[in-house]
Amino acid sequence: MQSDNFNQGFKYYRVLKIYGKLMSGEIVNKTEAASLFGVTERTFQRDIEDLRCFFADDADDSGIRRELVYSREMNGYYLVNKDVSMLNDSETIALCKIMLDSRAFTKEEMIPVINKLLSCCVHPKLRGRAVDYISNELDCYIEPNHHKNFIGSISDISEAVSQRKYMKIRYRRQDGSETERVIKPMGIMFSEFYFYLPAFAENAGKETLRGESGSSVGNGDIFMSAYRLDRIQQFEVLDRHFDPPCKTVLDERELRKRIQFLCGGRLRRVKFLYKGKNVEGVLDRFPASKIVGRSDDGVVFIAEAFGDSIDAWLRSQGRAVEILSN
């Protein structure tokens, strides 16, 4: 009986050791493992089947799906995380590519983020291939000209947005001058190399946004500003809460549809005739737009956006766009 207990205990130890190796991302070779534990390869195979059953049962209880896979190329078993909430290798590489092409961060901040993604999400035996695939782009990475690290501030700013707290910021304008403002932060957005903080002025609640009909409610239009995060020199999250000035006319989702150019200014409503072929592209460019007419000449749109950057886009379309009202 004592011998049976010892053998049973040894099996538990052996299976737990194999489990530990698999969970740490190691490749477990049948011959090497059998030799290490002093058992036959058939016994090792039974251990593998026991672990397969365990992972299947654990998936039912925890919702985390793991699968033991044998690779001829790597000559052993390794663990694949089938959890849909986890990134797979292809998704990780794609995300790294998007980050590198965005040029959103300095090289000092970008490289650790890329390395952490590869380390956490790509299997160790496949990591070399993934690193080789993007290493040249890492070496050639061109960081933005502001050369400022700001990842550490994103969490605090996000908390201010989610809790609807005022922020006091010291902001450097494009001409180098600085100003201090108290703002109502509405979200963090990214566009063409830069992160932006769309926000309303402290007293913006006294006015209201222009509605879908184009008419104003209250004292006039609200003007929104878009602050580049890299130009925020200092900020303080104040212990005061605010109500979004847009909540009575536009919810936050609708607001985001109108700040695609991330340009400060009033909310504008423009009606134009589009004579081009890429109607879908116009709808993507202006998520808050709607088609109000069609003719042999083209499609009539009404689009809403903050600021004057919409004018630059309309001009860039040349003869494909005719402004009907502005």
Side-chain angles (χ1 to χ4, degrees):
M1 178 66 68
Q2 185 176 1
S3 176
D4 290 341
N5 288 337
F6 175 79
N7 291 335
Q8 189 76 356
F10 178 72
K11 176 179 179 177
Y12 291 153
Y13 172 81
R14 183 176 70 244
V15 172
L16 285 173
K17 290 290 287 186
I18 296 172
Y19 172 85
K21 289 177 179 292
L22 292 168
M23 292 296 290
S24 64
E26 294 184 39
I27 304 295
V28 180
N29 176 271
K30 180 193 295 187
T31 303
E32 292 177 357
S35 175
L36 175 66
F37 295 114
V39 296
T40 65
E41 293 187 6
R42 179 175 294 182
T43 298
F44 169 82
Q45 197 63 47
R46 285 197 294 266
D47 293 340
I48 290 294
E49 295 307 317
D50 288 341
L51 285 169
R52 279 203 174 106
C53 292
F54 168 77
F55 288 128
D57 292 340
D58 186 57
D60 294 336
D61 296 334
S62 66
I64 300 176
R65 296 178 56 229
R66 300 184 179 93
E67 181 179 340
L68 265 176
V69 176
Y70 178 77
S71 169
R72 290 183 180 275
E73 180 183 358
M74 294 183 283
N75 192 28
Y77 292 89
Y78 67 97
L79 197 60
V80 174
N81 196 325
K82 295 289 186 176
D83 185 4
V84 294
S85 66
M86 299 291 290
L87 297 174
N88 60 36
D89 297 345
S90 296
E91 291 168 339
T92 303
I93 293 173
L95 186 57
C96 289
K97 290 279 290 179
I98 292 172
M99 289 190 62
L100 288 167
D101 289 343
S102 74
R103 294 176 54 202
F105 305 112
T106 63
K107 197 167 187 175
E108 182 182 351
E109 290 190 323
M110 179 66 80
I111 290 178
V113 172
I114 294 293
N115 288 336
K116 288 174 184 177
L117 276 171
L118 293 172
S119 176
C120 293
C121 303
V122 179
H123 193 276
K125 291 296 181 179
L126 303 177
R127 196 174 297 153
R129 280 181 282 178
V131 171
D132 290 343
Y133 185 71
I134 64 171
S135 61
N136 184 58
E137 293 187 44
L138 273 171
D139 292 337
C140 300
Y141 180 71
I142 302 173
E143 65 182 16
N145 281 313
H146 58 70
H147 305 297
K148 182 176 180 180
N149 296 336
F150 58 87
I151 283 183
S153 65
I154 289 179
S155 177
D156 291 335
I157 295 175
S158 298
E159 185 175 359
V161 171
S162 64
Q163 295 186 3
R164 295 283 187 257
K165 285 188 173 182
Y166 285 96
M167 288 180 61
K168 183 178 181 181
I169 65 171
R170 181 161 61 86
Y171 189 75
R172 179 178 56 81
R173 299 187 181 98
Q174 191 164 354
D175 62 6
S177 63
E178 294 187 359
T179 181
E180 284 193 357
R181 296 177 181 175
V182 176
I183 60 173
K184 301 176 179 181
M186 298 304 298
I188 297 176
M189 299 185 68
F190 177 82
S191 177
E192 296 181 352
F193 312 119
Y194 307 117
F195 281 90
Y196 292 85
L197 177 63
F200 294 107
E202 181 179 18
N203 62 352
K206 299 177 182 179
E207 300 171 331
T208 55
L209 292 173
R210 185 183 295 275
E212 293 289 344
S213 64
S215 60
S216 298
V217 181
N219 297 326
D221 298 326
I222 280 184
F223 285 75
M224 187 208 70
S225 298
Y227 301 94
R228 270 176 44 180
L229 291 195
D230 60 279
R231 289 184 179 167
I232 297 178
Q233 304 302 299
Q234 290 181 347
F235 71 90
E236 178 187 359
V237 179
L238 304 179
D239 193 21
R240 292 194 288 129
H241 296 269
F242 64 87
D243 290 326
C246 56
K247 71 175 184 177
T248 58
V249 181
L250 300 174
D251 60 24
E252 186 173 345
R253 179 178 178 181
E254 292 301 313
L255 173 69
R256 285 177 172 268
K257 292 179 182 179
R258 291 160 174 81
I259 54 179
Q260 67 273 28
F261 292 110
L262 291 167
C263 175
R266 66 183 177 88
L267 181 63
R268 297 176 53 195
R269 197 167 189 262
V270 181
K271 185 177 182 180
F272 60 89
L273 173 66
Y274 179 70
K275 305 174 185 178
K277 297 181 179 180
N278 189 13
V279 174
E280 183 178 299
V282 178
L283 292 169
D284 288 335
R285 169 58 66 179
F286 300 99
S289 66
K290 55 184 177 180
I291 296 173
V292 295
R294 296 178 184 268
S295 67
D296 293 339
D297 295 330
V299 180
V300 179
F301 284 89
I302 291 180
E304 292 185 348
F306 280 98
D308 296 330
S309 290
I310 186 174
D311 296 327
W313 183 88
L314 291 170
R315 289 194 299 269
S316 72
Q317 303 305 300
R319 295 182 179 179
V321 165
E322 177 184 342
I323 299 176
L324 303 177
S325 65
N326 189 354

